[in-house]
Amino acid sequence: VGAGPAGLFCALALAVRGARPIVVERGRPVEARAQDVARLEAGGGMNPESNVLFGEGGAGAFSDGKLTCGLNSPHIRTVLGTLVRCGAPEEILVAQRPHIGTDELRRVLAGVRAALLGLGAEMRFETRLTGLMLRQGRVAGARLSGEGGESELSTDTVCLAIGHSARDTYEWLCGMGLPMQHKPFAIGVRIEHLQRDIDRAQYGVSAGHPALPPAEYKLNTPTPDGRGVYTFCMCPGGRVINASSEPGGVNVNGMSLHARDGRNANAAVLVGVRPEDFGDGHPLAGMYLQRRIEQAAFRCAGGAFRAPCQRVGDFLAGVPSREAGAVVPTYLPGVTMGDLRAFLPGFIADDLCLALPRLGQRLDGFDHPDALLTGPETRSSAPVRILRNQRRESAFEGLYPLGEGAGYAGGIVSAAVDGLCAGMEID
């Protein structure tokens, strides 16, 4: 269930072993999905089932396509090698910080799909898991909703790779009594600079040399409340994008193409959020906090999936922004200049205000007054963990929660490895 990295690599591993897995994905194939995203960016409205978060490839299909990973696993090489065989550039096998880019990743996903179909797998797009059938605590079937209406599929094995934003699925699984718990995550904003300024800060007099790639950064600083602030998913030469999945709420992310040749650089600047910040002890309380922030931001920006935006100088001075300066916002369908404190929880805004000058001491110009903050970014990782045992099996026998949506991965490669291992081990 889910055609993101965990679901695709789980299905690949099962198919190589001789199984004929059925992959169900609520969104559309990546080619149609790209059209839906383009329509949203042009002001044509959002498809709740096909967007930056839902569809073939998962959320990582509209990102920088970073393939870095904190795991120490021999299966990383298998994942990268598979991507190369499906069309990714061979350089990802040797690069220190490999990336594919959104444009190349779409082509690779078509290659993965072809490989699965060639191995006998079945792929059902625009098909949503709506329920599980249990018999004496064991999976006996899945309820599906697709273009042909409602259906039931008899099966004793469901690999649940739903991604970190399938909120409706979380809700009915929780209602069924599936053990899950809230977990810490992070919330913040996207910061944009001119890429040439980041190059100068990192390369000095060598900035602009044709042998040098667009410069990157990775920063963090402690805060007095112990939360910490850090940059995440830095996209050189990229742009800020709409990563919303629900009507009436706005969420942002970042992406870049393989060439990373855009005018701006962007990255998430995130503040740690703890379970005690959620408001209550419900397993989905963190998810509901995300939703409240997104809805407040949507209202602040005036609707139509515009995003609130503020100059760093104004944010630090505590005054609303009226217009952008040297850095032109890249977010589509457009930004509304204003005050981010109107929707960010106070502790997040306070920690960002404290951290930006400190990060500016570590990277010259990071806190430049004309740098832009666009928000909110609430979906940095799953707000919930679905409990499972060492075999990756949940309390419902035959149900295997996998990847980032289950709370056990944090990026394309780690999610793919989790799915791959499940596909190799499931009987």
Side-chain angles (χ1 to χ4, degrees):
V1 180
L8 291 174
F9 274 85
C10 180
L12 280 168
L14 288 166
V16 166
R17 294 173 59 198
R20 291 178 177 262
I22 299 171
V23 181
V24 297
E25 165 57 53
R26 70 190 299 165
R28 305 174 75 193
V30 69
E31 299 90 347
R33 184 184 177 198
Q35 295 174 5
D36 292 328
V37 172
R39 190 176 303 111
L40 168 61
E41 292 183 338
M46 184 192 67
N47 182 343
E49 302 293 341
S50 180
N51 47 62
V52 164
L53 298 179
F54 293 154
E56 185 179 25
F62 290 84
S63 66
D64 189 50
K66 289 182 180 63
L67 302 176
T68 51
C69 179
L71 297 177
N72 182 18
S73 169
H75 301 303
I76 294 174
R77 189 75 180 180
T78 303
V79 169
L80 297 180
T82 301
L83 294 175
V84 169
R85 287 191 294 275
C86 291
E90 290 192 14
E91 66 194 44
I92 68 172
L93 298 175
V94 295
Q96 182 182 10
R97 291 188 294 275
H99 82 284
I100 297 180
T102 292
D103 48 345
E104 292 289 323
L105 195 52
R106 295 172 190 169
R107 184 171 56 83
V108 173
L109 284 167
V112 174
R113 186 199 315 151
L116 276 169
L117 295 175
L119 289 166
E122 178 183 345
M123 299 195 72
R124 301 184 187 180
F125 292 104
E126 299 181 72
T127 301
R128 187 159 46 94
L129 179 72
T130 58
L132 294 173
M133 295 177 283
L134 302 178
R135 185 177 299 122
Q136 296 180 342
R138 179 173 180 84
V139 170
R143 293 188 176 92
L144 305 175
S145 177
E147 287 184 311
E150 304 292 324
S151 63
E152 293 184 352
L153 178 68
S154 295
T155 180
D156 61 2
T157 304
V158 173
C159 300
L160 195 70
I162 57 176
H164 60 38
S165 292
R167 292 171 170 173
D168 50 357
T169 308
Y170 283 144
E171 287 181 317
W172 64 253
L173 285 169
C174 187
M176 287 185 69
L178 181 66
M180 59 179 69
Q181 61 188 23
H182 47 46
K183 72 174 187 65
F185 58 103
I187 291 174
V189 295
R190 278 271 150 183
I191 190 167
E192 282 193 276
H193 304 87
L194 294 175
Q195 180 65 51
R196 71 185 185 199
D197 292 342
I198 301 299
D199 292 345
R200 290 169 183 161
Q202 295 289 58
Y203 295 142
V205 296
S206 298
H209 192 285
L212 291 173
E216 302 178 53
Y217 59 78
K218 187 176 183 179
L219 306 171
N220 66 81
T221 185
T223 54
D225 59 9
R227 299 175 188 280
V229 175
Y230 63 98
T231 63
F232 176 73
C233 188
M234 191 266 167
C235 298
R239 61 188 181 90
V240 179
I241 60 171
N242 184 308
S244 309
S245 63
E246 294 180 335
V250 64
N251 170 61
V252 304
N253 204 336
M255 71 171 242
S256 56
L257 304 181
H258 182 72
R260 292 176 163 178
D261 57 358
R263 186 168 185 260
N264 288 3
N266 75 81
V269 188
L270 301 176
V271 178
V273 180
R274 306 161 175 163
E276 53 264 33
D277 301 319
F278 298 165
D280 62 51
H282 191 279
L284 301 181
M287 184 185 86
Y288 297 136
L289 173 64
Q290 291 175 327
R291 179 178 285 158
R292 290 194 298 272
I293 294 171
E294 292 165 14
Q295 291 175 345
F298 188 88
R299 294 190 296 270
C300 286
F305 291 101
R306 296 177 66 84
C309 185
Q310 189 172 14
R311 294 173 59 252
V312 164
D314 292 335
F315 179 73
L316 295 177
V319 297
S321 290
R322 304 302 178 193
E323 58 184 3
V327 182
V328 177
T330 57
Y331 174 89
L332 295 173
V335 301
T336 299
M337 303 303 293
D339 185 357
L340 302 188
R341 287 183 178 271
F343 64 88
L344 286 175
F347 70 89
I348 293 178
D350 290 345
D351 275 1
L352 288 174
C353 196
L354 179 70
L356 287 168
R358 293 184 178 182
L359 298 177
Q361 294 173 358
R362 301 188 179 189
L363 181 67
D364 186 43
F366 189 82
D367 58 342
H368 190 284
D370 276 351
L372 294 177
L373 302 175
T374 306
E377 179 154 345
T378 59
R379 316 280 187 99
S380 60
S381 65
V384 64
R385 177 172 288 115
I386 302 175
L387 302 185
R388 69 185 193 185
N389 60 25
Q390 291 184 337
R391 300 189 308 276
R392 294 180 170 81
E393 191 171 31
S394 75
F396 296 169
E397 191 176 352
L399 180 67
Y400 297 84
L402 303 176
E404 190 161 351
Y408 295 97
I412 293 173
V413 173
S414 61
V417 167
D418 197 47
L420 177 67
C421 290
M424 293 190 299
E425 296 166 1
I426 291 171
D427 294 334

